[in-house]
PDB file of all heavy atoms in Angstrom:
ATOM      1  N   GLY R 256       0.797  -1.215   0.000  1.00 98.00           N
ATOM      2  CA  GLY R 256       0.000   0.000   0.000  1.00 98.00           C
ATOM      3  C   GLY R 256       0.831   1.267   0.000  1.00 98.00           C
ATOM      4  O   GLY R 256       2.078   1.225  -0.074  1.00 98.00           O
ATOM      5  N   SER R 257       0.143   2.401   0.091  1.00 98.00           N
ATOM      6  CA  SER R 257       0.788   3.709   0.031  1.00 98.00           C
ATOM      7  C   SER R 257       0.312   4.610   1.161  1.00 98.00           C
ATOM      8  O   SER R 257      -0.821   4.460   1.646  1.00 98.00           O
ATOM      9  CB  SER R 257       0.481   4.398  -1.306  1.00 98.00           C
ATOM     10  OG  SER R 257       0.975   3.663  -2.403  1.00 98.00           O
ATOM     11  N   LEU R 258       1.182   5.519   1.542  1.00 98.00           N
ATOM     12  CA  LEU R 258       0.847   6.576   2.486  1.00 98.00           C
ATOM     13  C   LEU R 258       1.597   7.823   2.065  1.00 98.00           C
ATOM     14  O   LEU R 258       2.682   7.729   1.458  1.00 98.00           O
ATOM     15  CB  LEU R 258       1.261   6.217   3.910  1.00 98.00           C
ATOM     16  CG  LEU R 258       0.406   5.260   4.738  1.00 98.00           C
ATOM     17  CD1 LEU R 258       1.095   4.973   6.077  1.00 98.00           C
ATOM     18  CD2 LEU R 258      -0.987   5.812   4.964  1.00 98.00           C
ATOM     19  N   ARG R 259       1.046   8.986   2.407  1.00 98.00           N
ATOM     20  CA  ARG R 259       1.762  10.242   2.215  1.00 98.00           C
ATOM     21  C   ARG R 259       1.866  10.966   3.542  1.00 98.00           C
ATOM     22  O   ARG R 259       0.842  11.290   4.155  1.00 98.00           O
ATOM     23  CB  ARG R 259       1.099  11.136   1.179  1.00 98.00           C
ATOM     24  CG  ARG R 259       1.969  12.352   0.839  1.00 98.00           C
ATOM     25  CD  ARG R 259       1.420  13.219  -0.261  1.00 98.00           C
ATOM     26  NE  ARG R 259       0.426  14.164   0.227  1.00 98.00           N
ATOM     27  CZ  ARG R 259       0.177  15.335  -0.367  1.00 98.00           C
ATOM     28  NH1 ARG R 259       0.849  15.687  -1.452  1.00 98.00           N
ATOM     29  NH2 ARG R 259      -0.757  16.131   0.124  1.00 98.00           N
ATOM     30  N   LEU R 260       3.087  11.194   3.962  1.00 98.00           N
ATOM     31  CA  LEU R 260       3.340  11.956   5.170  1.00 98.00           C
ATOM     32  C   LEU R 260       3.519  13.426   4.814  1.00 98.00           C
ATOM     33  O   LEU R 260       4.080  13.757   3.770  1.00 98.00           O
ATOM     34  CB  LEU R 260       4.593  11.453   5.881  1.00 98.00           C
ATOM     35  CG  LEU R 260       4.643   9.968   6.228  1.00 98.00           C
ATOM     36  CD1 LEU R 260       5.935   9.660   6.998  1.00 98.00           C
ATOM     37  CD2 LEU R 260       3.421   9.541   7.011  1.00 98.00           C
ATOM     38  N   SER R 261       3.056  14.285   5.714  1.00 98.00           N
ATOM     39  CA  SER R 261       3.237  15.727   5.565  1.00 98.00           C
ATOM     40  C   SER R 261       3.900  16.278   6.810  1.00 98.00           C
ATOM     41  O   SER R 261       3.691  15.765   7.912  1.00 98.00           O
ATOM     42  CB  SER R 261       1.890  16.417   5.354  1.00 98.00           C
ATOM     43  OG  SER R 261       1.238  15.945   4.201  1.00 98.00           O
ATOM     44  N   CYS R 262       4.664  17.328   6.620  1.00 97.00           N
ATOM     45  CA  CYS R 262       5.302  18.005   7.741  1.00 97.00           C
ATOM     46  C   CYS R 262       5.177  19.504   7.508  1.00 97.00           C
ATOM     47  O   CYS R 262       5.760  20.036   6.556  1.00 97.00           O
ATOM     48  CB  CYS R 262       6.760  17.598   7.855  1.00 97.00           C
ATOM     49  SG  CYS R 262       7.707  18.552   9.065  1.00 97.00           S
ATOM     50  N   ALA R 263       4.411  20.152   8.373  1.00 96.00           N
ATOM     51  CA  ALA R 263       4.217  21.593   8.280  1.00 96.00           C
ATOM     52  C   ALA R 263       5.168  22.294   9.239  1.00 96.00           C
ATOM     53  O   ALA R 263       5.269  21.916  10.415  1.00 96.00           O
ATOM     54  CB  ALA R 263       2.778  21.950   8.611  1.00 96.00           C
ATOM     55  N   ALA R 264       5.853  23.305   8.727  1.00 94.00           N
ATOM     56  CA  ALA R 264       6.850  24.015   9.520  1.00 94.00           C
ATOM     57  C   ALA R 264       6.427  25.453   9.778  1.00 94.00           C
ATOM     58  O   ALA R 264       5.812  26.093   8.921  1.00 94.00           O
ATOM     59  CB  ALA R 264       8.190  24.005   8.793  1.00 94.00           C
ATOM     60  N   SER R 265       6.774  25.933  10.969  1.00 91.00           N
ATOM     61  CA  SER R 265       6.540  27.339  11.273  1.00 91.00           C
ATOM     62  C   SER R 265       7.742  28.145  10.798  1.00 91.00           C
ATOM     63  O   SER R 265       8.788  27.596  10.478  1.00 91.00           O
ATOM     64  CB  SER R 265       6.351  27.522  12.776  1.00 91.00           C
ATOM     65  OG  SER R 265       7.547  27.173  13.458  1.00 91.00           O
ATOM     66  N   GLY R 266       7.602  29.456  10.779  1.00 79.00           N
ATOM     67  CA  GLY R 266       8.743  30.293  10.439  1.00 79.00           C
ATOM     68  C   GLY R 266       8.723  30.786   9.013  1.00 79.00           C
ATOM     69  O   GLY R 266       8.042  30.229   8.158  1.00 79.00           O
ATOM     70  N   SER R 267       9.527  31.815   8.778  1.00 76.00           N
ATOM     71  CA  SER R 267       9.500  32.487   7.482  1.00 76.00           C
ATOM     72  C   SER R 267      10.669  32.125   6.577  1.00 76.00           C
ATOM     73  O   SER R 267      10.752  32.626   5.465  1.00 76.00           O
ATOM     74  CB  SER R 267       9.472  34.006   7.692  1.00 76.00           C
ATOM     75  OG  SER R 267      10.629  34.402   8.416  1.00 76.00           O
ATOM     76  N   ILE R 268      11.577  31.280   7.065  1.00 84.00           N
ATOM     77  CA  ILE R 268      12.740  30.949   6.241  1.00 84.00           C
ATOM     78  C   ILE R 268      12.772  29.472   5.893  1.00 84.00           C
ATOM     79  O   ILE R 268      13.829  28.873   5.715  1.00 84.00           O
ATOM     80  CB  ILE R 268      14.061  31.360   6.920  1.00 84.00           C
ATOM     81  CG1 ILE R 268      14.204  30.692   8.292  1.00 84.00           C
ATOM     82  CG2 ILE R 268      14.148  32.867   7.042  1.00 84.00           C
ATOM     83  CD1 ILE R 268      15.577  30.896   8.908  1.00 84.00           C
ATOM     84  N   PHE R 269      11.595  28.878   5.802  1.00 86.00           N
ATOM     85  CA  PHE R 269      11.491  27.446   5.499  1.00 86.00           C
ATOM     86  C   PHE R 269      12.284  27.084   4.262  1.00 86.00           C
ATOM     87  O   PHE R 269      12.922  26.034   4.199  1.00 86.00           O
ATOM     88  CB  PHE R 269      10.022  27.075   5.313  1.00 86.00           C
ATOM     89  CG  PHE R 269       9.800  25.673   4.822  1.00 86.00           C
ATOM     90  CD1 PHE R 269       9.829  24.606   5.706  1.00 86.00           C
ATOM     91  CD2 PHE R 269       9.553  25.409   3.477  1.00 86.00           C
ATOM     92  CE1 PHE R 269       9.624  23.309   5.263  1.00 86.00           C
ATOM     93  CE2 PHE R 269       9.345  24.128   3.028  1.00 86.00           C
ATOM     94  CZ  PHE R 269       9.375  23.061   3.920  1.00 86.00           C
ATOM     95  N   SER R 270      12.256  27.956   3.257  1.00 82.00           N
ATOM     96  CA  SER R 270      12.885  27.634   1.979  1.00 82.00           C
ATOM     97  C   SER R 270      14.400  27.450   2.101  1.00 82.00           C
ATOM     98  O   SER R 270      15.020  26.861   1.222  1.00 82.00           O
ATOM     99  CB  SER R 270      12.581  28.717   0.953  1.00 82.00           C
ATOM    100  OG  SER R 270      13.112  29.957   1.374  1.00 82.00           O
ATOM    101  N   LEU R 271      14.980  27.936   3.189  1.00 85.00           N
ATOM    102  CA  LEU R 271      16.428  27.827   3.360  1.00 85.00           C
ATOM    103  C   LEU R 271      16.855  26.507   3.996  1.00 85.00           C
ATOM    104  O   LEU R 271      18.025  26.150   3.955  1.00 85.00           O
ATOM    105  CB  LEU R 271      16.941  28.979   4.232  1.00 85.00           C
ATOM    106  CG  LEU R 271      16.693  30.388   3.701  1.00 85.00           C
ATOM    107  CD1 LEU R 271      17.282  31.414   4.660  1.00 85.00           C
ATOM    108  CD2 LEU R 271      17.286  30.556   2.309  1.00 85.00           C
ATOM    109  N   TYR R 272      15.910  25.801   4.583  1.00 92.00           N
ATOM    110  CA  TYR R 272      16.250  24.587   5.317  1.00 92.00           C
ATOM    111  C   TYR R 272      16.439  23.393   4.388  1.00 92.00           C
ATOM    112  O   TYR R 272      15.732  23.239   3.399  1.00 92.00           O
ATOM    113  CB  TYR R 272      15.158  24.228   6.323  1.00 92.00           C
ATOM    114  CG  TYR R 272      15.080  25.147   7.514  1.00 92.00           C
ATOM    115  CD1 TYR R 272      14.329  26.310   7.472  1.00 92.00           C
ATOM    116  CD2 TYR R 272      15.768  24.843   8.686  1.00 92.00           C
ATOM    117  CE1 TYR R 272      14.266  27.159   8.565  1.00 92.00           C
ATOM    118  CE2 TYR R 272      15.710  25.680   9.783  1.00 92.00           C
ATOM    119  CZ  TYR R 272      14.952  26.834   9.717  1.00 92.00           C
ATOM    120  OH  TYR R 272      14.894  27.663  10.793  1.00 92.00           O
ATOM    121  N   VAL R 273      17.373  22.543   4.777  1.00 95.00           N
ATOM    122  CA  VAL R 273      17.388  21.184   4.243  1.00 95.00           C
ATOM    123  C   VAL R 273      16.361  20.410   5.070  1.00 95.00           C
ATOM    124  O   VAL R 273      16.441  20.381   6.300  1.00 95.00           O
ATOM    125  CB  VAL R 273      18.764  20.520   4.359  1.00 95.00           C
ATOM    126  CG1 VAL R 273      18.698  19.063   3.899  1.00 95.00           C
ATOM    127  CG2 VAL R 273      19.808  21.293   3.566  1.00 95.00           C
ATOM    128  N   MET R 274      15.405  19.812   4.396  1.00 96.00           N
ATOM    129  CA  MET R 274      14.350  19.083   5.090  1.00 96.00           C
ATOM    130  C   MET R 274      14.562  17.583   4.894  1.00 96.00           C
ATOM    131  O   MET R 274      14.936  17.123   3.813  1.00 96.00           O
ATOM    132  CB  MET R 274      12.979  19.476   4.559  1.00 96.00           C
ATOM    133  CG  MET R 274      12.640  20.941   4.747  1.00 96.00           C
ATOM    134  SD  MET R 274      12.611  21.433   6.486  1.00 96.00           S
ATOM    135  CE  MET R 274      11.315  20.374   7.146  1.00 96.00           C
ATOM    136  N   GLY R 275      14.294  16.851   5.951  1.00 97.00           N
ATOM    137  CA  GLY R 275      14.500  15.412   5.860  1.00 97.00           C
ATOM    138  C   GLY R 275      13.450  14.632   6.608  1.00 97.00           C
ATOM    139  O   GLY R 275      12.756  15.165   7.470  1.00 97.00           O
ATOM    140  N   TRP R 276      13.333  13.379   6.226  1.00 98.00           N
ATOM    141  CA  TRP R 276      12.514  12.416   6.946  1.00 98.00           C
ATOM    142  C   TRP R 276      13.442  11.328   7.479  1.00 98.00           C
ATOM    143  O   TRP R 276      14.264  10.777   6.728  1.00 98.00           O
ATOM    144  CB  TRP R 276      11.460  11.790   6.044  1.00 98.00           C
ATOM    145  CG  TRP R 276      10.329  12.702   5.703  1.00 98.00           C
ATOM    146  CD1 TRP R 276      10.192  13.467   4.576  1.00 98.00           C
ATOM    147  CD2 TRP R 276       9.174  12.964   6.498  1.00 98.00           C
ATOM    148  NE1 TRP R 276       9.032  14.187   4.626  1.00 98.00           N
ATOM    149  CE2 TRP R 276       8.370  13.882   5.797  1.00 98.00           C
ATOM    150  CE3 TRP R 276       8.721  12.496   7.731  1.00 98.00           C
ATOM    151  CZ2 TRP R 276       7.149  14.358   6.280  1.00 98.00           C
ATOM    152  CZ3 TRP R 276       7.510  12.964   8.223  1.00 98.00           C
ATOM    153  CH2 TRP R 276       6.742  13.878   7.502  1.00 98.00           C
ATOM    154  N   TYR R 277      13.293  11.060   8.761  1.00 98.00           N
ATOM    155  CA  TYR R 277      14.025   9.990   9.418  1.00 98.00           C
ATOM    156  C   TYR R 277      13.002   8.999   9.957  1.00 98.00           C
ATOM    157  O   TYR R 277      11.822   9.318  10.092  1.00 98.00           O
ATOM    158  CB  TYR R 277      14.856  10.528  10.578  1.00 98.00           C
ATOM    159  CG  TYR R 277      16.053  11.346  10.177  1.00 98.00           C
ATOM    160  CD1 TYR R 277      15.907  12.621   9.623  1.00 98.00           C
ATOM    161  CD2 TYR R 277      17.351  10.868  10.364  1.00 98.00           C
ATOM    162  CE1 TYR R 277      17.015  13.374   9.263  1.00 98.00           C
ATOM    163  CE2 TYR R 277      18.463  11.620  10.016  1.00 98.00           C
ATOM    164  CZ  TYR R 277      18.276  12.862   9.472  1.00 98.00           C
ATOM    165  OH  TYR R 277      19.375  13.614   9.118  1.00 98.00           O
ATOM    166  N   ARG R 278      13.474   7.808  10.289  1.00 98.00           N
ATOM    167  CA  ARG R 278      12.592   6.849  10.932  1.00 98.00           C
ATOM    168  C   ARG R 278      13.357   6.059  11.976  1.00 98.00           C
ATOM    169  O   ARG R 278      14.571   5.898  11.897  1.00 98.00           O
ATOM    170  CB  ARG R 278      11.962   5.908   9.910  1.00 98.00           C
ATOM    171  CG  ARG R 278      12.922   4.962   9.224  1.00 98.00           C
ATOM    172  CD  ARG R 278      12.205   4.176   8.124  1.00 98.00           C
ATOM    173  NE  ARG R 278      13.094   3.243   7.428  1.00 98.00           N
ATOM    174  CZ  ARG R 278      12.758   2.559   6.348  1.00 98.00           C
ATOM    175  NH1 ARG R 278      11.531   2.696   5.820  1.00 98.00           N
ATOM    176  NH2 ARG R 278      13.623   1.729   5.785  1.00 98.00           N
ATOM    177  N   GLN R 279      12.598   5.573  12.942  1.00 98.00           N
ATOM    178  CA  GLN R 279      13.182   4.755  13.998  1.00 98.00           C
ATOM    179  C   GLN R 279      12.241   3.607  14.310  1.00 98.00           C
ATOM    180  O   GLN R 279      11.097   3.826  14.731  1.00 98.00           O
ATOM    181  CB  GLN R 279      13.444   5.579  15.256  1.00 98.00           C
ATOM    182  CG  GLN R 279      14.219   4.828  16.317  1.00 98.00           C
ATOM    183  CD  GLN R 279      14.757   5.750  17.409  1.00 98.00           C
ATOM    184  OE1 GLN R 279      14.294   6.875  17.577  1.00 98.00           O
ATOM    185  NE2 GLN R 279      15.748   5.266  18.139  1.00 98.00           N
ATOM    186  N   ALA R 280      12.738   2.403  14.065  1.00 96.00           N
ATOM    187  CA  ALA R 280      11.985   1.196  14.385  1.00 96.00           C
ATOM    188  C   ALA R 280      12.359   0.743  15.797  1.00 96.00           C
ATOM    189  O   ALA R 280      13.437   1.089  16.301  1.00 96.00           O
ATOM    190  CB  ALA R 280      12.299   0.102  13.375  1.00 96.00           C
ATOM    191  N   PRO R 281      11.497  -0.029  16.434  1.00 92.00           N
ATOM    192  CA  PRO R 281      11.800  -0.496  17.796  1.00 92.00           C
ATOM    193  C   PRO R 281      13.135  -1.223  17.859  1.00 92.00           C
ATOM    194  O   PRO R 281      13.420  -2.103  17.045  1.00 92.00           O
ATOM    195  CB  PRO R 281      10.635  -1.440  18.097  1.00 92.00           C
ATOM    196  CG  PRO R 281       9.518  -0.946  17.254  1.00 92.00           C
ATOM    197  CD  PRO R 281      10.162  -0.460  15.992  1.00 92.00           C
ATOM    198  N   GLY R 282      13.970  -0.821  18.805  1.00 94.00           N
ATOM    199  CA  GLY R 282      15.257  -1.475  19.003  1.00 94.00           C
ATOM    200  C   GLY R 282      16.331  -1.089  18.006  1.00 94.00           C
ATOM    201  O   GLY R 282      17.426  -1.661  18.024  1.00 94.00           O
ATOM    202  N   LYS R 283      16.015  -0.131  17.144  1.00 96.00           N
ATOM    203  CA  LYS R 283      16.986   0.282  16.126  1.00 96.00           C
ATOM    204  C   LYS R 283      17.294   1.766  16.247  1.00 96.00           C
ATOM    205  O   LYS R 283      16.544   2.527  16.855  1.00 96.00           O
ATOM    206  CB  LYS R 283      16.454  -0.029  14.731  1.00 96.00           C
ATOM    207  CG  LYS R 283      16.303  -1.512  14.445  1.00 96.00           C
ATOM    208  CD  LYS R 283      15.951  -1.756  12.991  1.00 96.00           C
ATOM    209  CE  LYS R 283      15.880  -3.233  12.676  1.00 96.00           C
ATOM    210  NZ  LYS R 283      15.563  -3.477  11.239  1.00 96.00           N
ATOM    211  N   GLN R 284      18.405   2.160  15.638  1.00 97.00           N
ATOM    212  CA  GLN R 284      18.772   3.568  15.642  1.00 97.00           C
ATOM    213  C   GLN R 284      17.942   4.345  14.618  1.00 97.00           C
ATOM    214  O   GLN R 284      17.462   3.778  13.631  1.00 97.00           O
ATOM    215  CB  GLN R 284      20.262   3.718  15.317  1.00 97.00           C
ATOM    216  CG  GLN R 284      21.190   3.242  16.427  1.00 97.00           C
ATOM    217  CD  GLN R 284      22.635   3.627  16.163  1.00 97.00           C
ATOM    218  OE1 GLN R 284      23.053   3.757  15.008  1.00 97.00           O
ATOM    219  NE2 GLN R 284      23.398   3.832  17.222  1.00 97.00           N
ATOM    220  N   ARG R 285      17.813   5.632  14.878  1.00 97.00           N
ATOM    221  CA  ARG R 285      17.137   6.492  13.925  1.00 97.00           C
ATOM    222  C   ARG R 285      17.984   6.577  12.656  1.00 97.00           C
ATOM    223  O   ARG R 285      19.201   6.728  12.725  1.00 97.00           O
ATOM    224  CB  ARG R 285      16.915   7.871  14.528  1.00 97.00           C
ATOM    225  CG  ARG R 285      16.000   8.768  13.735  1.00 97.00           C
ATOM    226  CD  ARG R 285      15.689  10.055  14.480  1.00 97.00           C
ATOM    227  NE  ARG R 285      14.975   9.812  15.726  1.00 97.00           N
ATOM    228  CZ  ARG R 285      14.439  10.774  16.472  1.00 97.00           C
ATOM    229  NH1 ARG R 285      14.539  12.044  16.071  1.00 97.00           N
ATOM    230  NH2 ARG R 285      13.819  10.476  17.597  1.00 97.00           N
ATOM    231  N   GLU R 286      17.311   6.493  11.512  1.00 98.00           N
ATOM    232  CA  GLU R 286      18.042   6.520  10.238  1.00 98.00           C
ATOM    233  C   GLU R 286      17.407   7.512   9.282  1.00 98.00           C
ATOM    234  O   GLU R 286      16.191   7.750   9.315  1.00 98.00           O
ATOM    235  CB  GLU R 286      18.055   5.126   9.597  1.00 98.00           C
ATOM    236  CG  GLU R 286      16.698   4.580   9.226  1.00 98.00           C
ATOM    237  CD  GLU R 286      16.750   3.266   8.470  1.00 98.00           C
ATOM    238  OE1 GLU R 286      17.856   2.778   8.175  1.00 98.00           O
ATOM    239  OE2 GLU R 286      15.668   2.718   8.171  1.00 98.00           O
ATOM    240  N   LEU R 287      18.239   8.057   8.415  1.00 98.00           N
ATOM    241  CA  LEU R 287      17.748   8.969   7.391  1.00 98.00           C
ATOM    242  C   LEU R 287      17.022   8.170   6.316  1.00 98.00           C
ATOM    243  O   LEU R 287      17.545   7.176   5.811  1.00 98.00           O
ATOM    244  CB  LEU R 287      18.907   9.740   6.762  1.00 98.00           C
ATOM    245  CG  LEU R 287      18.540  10.646   5.591  1.00 98.00           C
ATOM    246  CD1 LEU R 287      17.670  11.801   6.045  1.00 98.00           C
ATOM    247  CD2 LEU R 287      19.806  11.171   4.904  1.00 98.00           C
ATOM    248  N   VAL R 288      15.835   8.637   5.970  1.00 98.00           N
ATOM    249  CA  VAL R 288      15.066   8.012   4.906  1.00 98.00           C
ATOM    250  C   VAL R 288      15.239   8.799   3.599  1.00 98.00           C
ATOM    251  O   VAL R 288      15.541   8.230   2.552  1.00 98.00           O
ATOM    252  CB  VAL R 288      13.573   7.949   5.274  1.00 98.00           C
ATOM    253  CG1 VAL R 288      12.750   7.413   4.115  1.00 98.00           C
ATOM    254  CG2 VAL R 288      13.374   7.117   6.532  1.00 98.00           C
ATOM    255  N   ALA R 289      15.047  10.118   3.692  1.00 98.00           N
ATOM    256  CA  ALA R 289      15.141  10.958   2.496  1.00 98.00           C
ATOM    257  C   ALA R 289      15.372  12.392   2.932  1.00 98.00           C
ATOM    258  O   ALA R 289      14.969  12.781   4.029  1.00 98.00           O
ATOM    259  CB  ALA R 289      13.870  10.861   1.655  1.00 98.00           C
ATOM    260  N   ALA R 290      16.009  13.161   2.060  1.00 98.00           N
ATOM    261  CA  ALA R 290      16.251  14.566   2.342  1.00 98.00           C
ATOM    262  C   ALA R 290      16.132  15.365   1.056  1.00 98.00           C
ATOM    263  O   ALA R 290      16.347  14.837  -0.050  1.00 98.00           O
ATOM    264  CB  ALA R 290      17.626  14.766   2.974  1.00 98.00           C
ATOM    265  N   ILE R 291      15.807  16.658   1.223  1.00 97.00           N
ATOM    266  CA  ILE R 291      15.683  17.541   0.076  1.00 97.00           C
ATOM    267  C   ILE R 291      16.262  18.896   0.448  1.00 97.00           C
ATOM    268  O   ILE R 291      15.965  19.445   1.515  1.00 97.00           O
ATOM    269  CB  ILE R 291      14.209  17.648  -0.393  1.00 97.00           C
ATOM    270  CG1 ILE R 291      14.098  18.500  -1.647  1.00 97.00           C
ATOM    271  CG2 ILE R 291      13.298  18.163   0.721  1.00 97.00           C
ATOM    272  CD1 ILE R 291      12.722  18.376  -2.333  1.00 97.00           C
ATOM    273  N   THR R 292      17.103  19.429  -0.422  1.00 95.00           N
ATOM    274  CA  THR R 292      17.740  20.712  -0.142  1.00 95.00           C
ATOM    275  C   THR R 292      16.822  21.867  -0.530  1.00 95.00           C
ATOM    276  O   THR R 292      15.760  21.670  -1.126  1.00 95.00           O
ATOM    277  CB  THR R 292      19.053  20.834  -0.931  1.00 95.00           C
ATOM    278  OG1 THR R 292      18.741  20.935  -2.332  1.00 95.00           O
ATOM    279  CG2 THR R 292      19.963  19.636  -0.694  1.00 95.00           C
ATOM    280  N   SER R 293      17.281  23.066  -0.216  1.00 91.00           N
ATOM    281  CA  SER R 293      16.506  24.248  -0.585  1.00 91.00           C
ATOM    282  C   SER R 293      16.371  24.362  -2.103  1.00 91.00           C
ATOM    283  O   SER R 293      15.385  24.899  -2.604  1.00 91.00           O
ATOM    284  CB  SER R 293      17.163  25.499  -0.013  1.00 91.00           C
ATOM    285  OG  SER R 293      18.503  25.608  -0.474  1.00 91.00           O
ATOM    286  N   GLY R 294      17.332  23.827  -2.829  1.00 92.00           N
ATOM    287  CA  GLY R 294      17.287  23.874  -4.286  1.00 92.00           C
ATOM    288  C   GLY R 294      16.546  22.721  -4.931  1.00 92.00           C
ATOM    289  O   GLY R 294      16.412  22.675  -6.150  1.00 92.00           O
ATOM    290  N   GLY R 295      16.088  21.778  -4.092  1.00 94.00           N
ATOM    291  CA  GLY R 295      15.306  20.672  -4.621  1.00 94.00           C
ATOM    292  C   GLY R 295      16.078  19.391  -4.885  1.00 94.00           C
ATOM    293  O   GLY R 295      15.503  18.403  -5.349  1.00 94.00           O
ATOM    294  N   SER R 296      17.366  19.380  -4.584  1.00 97.00           N
ATOM    295  CA  SER R 296      18.130  18.133  -4.733  1.00 97.00           C
ATOM    296  C   SER R 296      17.712  17.153  -3.656  1.00 97.00           C
ATOM    297  O   SER R 296      17.472  17.541  -2.510  1.00 97.00           O
ATOM    298  CB  SER R 296      19.627  18.413  -4.627  1.00 97.00           C
ATOM    299  OG  SER R 296      20.049  19.259  -5.668  1.00 97.00           O
ATOM    300  N   THR R 297      17.657  15.893  -4.034  1.00 98.00           N
ATOM    301  CA  THR R 297      17.170  14.869  -3.103  1.00 98.00           C
ATOM    302  C   THR R 297      18.181  13.741  -2.938  1.00 98.00           C
ATOM    303  O   THR R 297      19.016  13.498  -3.820  1.00 98.00           O
ATOM    304  CB  THR R 297      15.847  14.265  -3.588  1.00 98.00           C
ATOM    305  OG1 THR R 297      16.037  13.694  -4.898  1.00 98.00           O
ATOM    306  CG2 THR R 297      14.762  15.321  -3.665  1.00 98.00           C
TER     307      THR R 297
END
């Protein structure tokens, strides 16, 4: 199946941030899933 996660951010300089999604499963370390730069590189 499919899901779409959303993350809404406060502040006026959102476009400058590198945004990422991480995940943590039980008993495991948090890991990077995906990231996107201010310029759109992923």
Side-chain angles (χ1 to χ4, degrees):
S257 298
L258 282 175
R259 188 175 83 153
L260 305 183
S261 300
C262 172
S265 64
S267 60
I268 58 171
F269 172 81
S270 62
L271 300 181
Y272 289 87
V273 175
M274 299 299 299
W276 287 96
Y277 289 71
R278 67 186 180 188
Q279 188 166 18
K283 294 188 177 181
Q284 289 190 331
R285 191 173 297 189
E286 63 174 357
L287 175 67
V288 175
I291 184 167
T292 68
S293 57
S296 297
T297 58

